[in-house]
Amino acid sequence: MSNTDKDSFDMSEMDSSLPAAAAALSAEDRAGLVNALKNKLQDLAGQHVDVMESLSPKVRKRVETLREIQSQHDELEAKFLEEKAVLEARYQKLYEPLYTKRFEIVNGVVEVEGVTDASMEEGEDKANEGKGVPDFWLTAMKTNEILAEEISERDEEALRSLKDIKWCRIDNPKGFKLEFFFDTNPFFKNSVLTKTYHMIDDDDEPILEKAIGTEIEWYPGKCLTQKVLKKKPKKGVKNAKPVIKTEKCESFFNFFSPPEVPENEDDIDEDEAEELQNLMEQDYDIGSTIRDKIIPHAVSWFTGEAAEADELKLDDDDEDADEEDEDDEDEDDDEDEDEDQEEVKSRKKPSGQKKGAKRQAGEGQPGERPPECKQQ
């Protein structure tokens, strides 16, 4: 963007080219987003103006043409993202009847064909036979490595009451919501626990703005996110009662109390901000894993097939990385051999050639390897 283009920047043009997702924002928020993008583009243009001015007129013209091509690419990419969102929403509706059938089978609402007849033939005691698929969601979640780390032994009994997990997109503000449906249980009153993620659009990928959880209505003495500590009273004190303290403990249900982002960034220092960012990233990883892996492929996680596929994928990635490391090591060995041969040759040279060797040493110290250039 030249200085002339920068000065003639039309905010209305940018406003009309925003993706449909931005149109869902309020007028005030949308105007703020447009101004932010405008300022960002102008800042970038200012940073690169020196590069453009340093080019020769012919090269500068070629780069300007390349930038026009890039603009065409960006327009196509924006349309792709819009159509992708529409396509995903369309298929999400097509998935719903399948998720309903899964819910009914898992929770024993309906029976699959052949089960009743087979049970009678095998003489099974129907009175003692449970309905549906016991511990379906608990098993599926525990099979996933990321979620298994979050589920404590104390959580398992409560998660056995989990009947279904759903997710849906939200448009204003943009993001998604997870819903966990529970049967009546001895731990909390809630029948549904939700987790909502608010996202901000970025050039590369959405950025998490904040997450909103659910206040769990625990029954007395049943809170899984806290443990009760009792301290004995000091000796010699009559009629002293034990000191009771509550302390936060690890639990999957902490997922519904996400880290809070302070309204004023000045309220936290750099270390606290970094810790908060790490917690938010970890929280988002859990939410996106449930949305992208557990919900659409629950039975594969229940049987362990999805975990095996994940392991195979990781093994393939590790093998590729090992092969790259071996190639780098082979190159290093070849370089070492070449250096050894050069060192032997230099030792065999007659004294009359030492001057040339010194001149070469001035260009690059003999026996000292140059910095290795690795492709990232």
Side-chain angles (χ1 to χ4, degrees):
M1 186 182 294
S2 64
N3 289 334
T4 305
D5 294 336
K6 179 179 170 183
D7 294 336
S8 62
F9 187 90
D10 189 350
M11 177 174 157
S12 63
E13 290 180 5
M14 185 173 192
D15 188 27
S16 63
S17 65
L18 282 173
L25 298 174
S26 65
E28 183 180 354
D29 291 340
R30 192 177 177 192
L33 177 60
V34 171
N35 285 328
L37 291 172
K38 175 183 174 183
N39 293 334
K40 183 177 179 181
L41 289 173
Q42 290 179 339
D43 289 342
L44 290 173
Q47 292 172 8
H48 297 295
V49 67
D50 292 339
V51 176
M52 295 298 291
E53 290 178 352
S54 66
L55 301 175
S56 66
K58 291 183 178 180
V59 175
R60 189 185 309 161
K61 183 64 177 176
R62 294 170 190 144
V63 173
E64 289 291 352
T65 302
L66 291 174
R67 295 174 73 182
E68 291 173 6
I69 295 172
Q70 183 64 50
S71 296
Q72 295 172 19
H73 172 279
D74 293 344
E75 289 176 7
L76 288 174
E77 187 176 29
K79 290 180 180 178
F80 161 72
L81 293 174
E82 289 179 13
E83 293 179 14
K84 178 184 175 185
V86 173
L87 190 64
E88 286 179 346
R90 176 190 167 196
Y91 273 86
Q92 197 64 31
K93 290 181 179 179
L94 296 176
Y95 295 147
E96 283 305 320
L98 303 179
Y99 292 154
T100 300
K101 288 181 181 179
R102 180 176 68 186
F103 169 83
E104 292 174 345
I105 293 171
V106 166
N107 294 283
V109 177
V110 299
E111 191 55 275
V112 298
E113 287 185 29
V115 170
T116 304
D117 296 338
S119 299
M120 292 178 66
E121 291 175 5
E122 295 170 9
E124 293 181 7
D125 186 356
K126 290 187 178 181
N128 297 327
E129 184 182 11
K131 291 183 177 181
V133 184
D135 303 344
F136 179 78
W137 290 102
L138 169 62
T139 304
M141 291 167 65
K142 282 183 64 180
T143 307
N144 180 273
E145 187 177 0
I146 291 176
L147 299 182
E149 294 179 358
E150 304 300 319
I151 299 172
S152 70
E153 192 173 337
R154 297 171 69 228
D155 295 330
E156 293 188 14
E157 188 177 348
L159 289 173
R160 287 191 174 96
S161 303
L162 183 57
K163 299 192 298 182
D164 202 9
I165 310 176
K166 295 182 179 181
W167 81 275
C168 62
R169 294 185 183 279
I170 57 174
D171 294 324
N172 190 16
K174 188 175 180 180
F176 65 94
K177 180 170 72 171
L178 297 169
E179 295 177 301
F180 298 75
F181 296 84
F182 285 87
D183 204 349
T184 303
N185 64 81
F187 293 93
F188 48 82
K189 297 179 182 179
N190 314 63
S191 59
V192 182
L193 300 179
T194 63
K195 181 68 172 287
T196 306
Y197 291 92
H198 291 176
M199 313 299 292
I200 299 174
D201 270 334
D202 188 56
D203 295 337
D204 299 324
E205 58 184 19
I207 297 174
L208 176 63
E209 180 184 17
K210 66 177 178 179
I212 303 171
T214 304
E215 183 178 354
I216 302 178
E217 300 177 53
W218 299 102
Y219 289 119
K222 294 293 185 177
C223 180
L224 296 171
T225 59
Q226 292 182 342
K227 58 183 178 181
V228 179
L229 302 175
K230 292 184 179 180
K231 289 186 177 181
K232 293 182 179 180
K234 294 181 179 180
K235 293 181 180 180
V237 181
K238 293 182 179 180
N239 301 323
K241 295 181 179 180
V243 178
I244 299 176
K245 292 176 63 178
T246 57
E247 188 177 276
K248 188 173 181 179
C249 62
E250 293 183 359
S251 169
F252 172 77
F253 291 94
N254 287 321
F255 176 67
F256 298 100
S257 300
E260 295 183 4
V261 180
E263 294 182 3
N264 189 352
E265 295 180 358
D266 297 333
D267 292 343
I268 56 175
D269 58 29
E270 188 175 343
D271 292 338
E272 290 174 331
E274 185 177 352
E275 182 181 359
L276 177 61
Q277 182 178 350
N278 291 336
L279 290 172
M280 291 180 67
E281 288 176 359
Q282 182 181 0
D283 181 81
Y284 182 77
D285 283 345
I286 296 170
S288 59
T289 296
I290 294 171
R291 179 194 65 184
D292 300 334
K293 293 189 175 184
I294 302 299
I295 293 177
H297 308 290
V299 70
S300 298
W301 287 102
F302 177 82
T303 61
E305 295 167 289
E308 292 174 4
D310 258 19
E311 288 177 5
L312 289 173
K313 185 178 179 181
L314 287 173
D315 289 342
D316 290 340
D317 292 342
D318 290 341
E319 286 178 8
D320 292 340
D322 290 341
E323 287 176 4
E324 290 179 3
D325 290 341
E326 287 176 4
D327 291 340
D328 290 340
E329 288 176 4
D330 290 340
E331 290 177 4
D332 292 344
D333 292 340
D334 292 340
E335 290 176 5
D336 290 340
E337 289 177 5
D338 292 341
E339 289 175 1
D340 291 341
Q341 291 175 1
E342 289 295 330
E343 189 175 349
V344 171
K345 288 180 182 178
S346 64
R347 289 176 182 172
K348 292 181 179 180
K349 284 182 180 180
S351 59
Q353 294 183 355
K354 285 183 179 178
K355 187 175 181 181
K358 284 184 179 180
R359 186 168 58 248
Q360 188 176 2
E363 297 170 359
Q365 297 299 323
E368 182 180 317
R369 294 181 56 192
E372 185 180 348
C373 179
K374 290 188 177 180
Q375 185 175 357
Q376 298 295 321

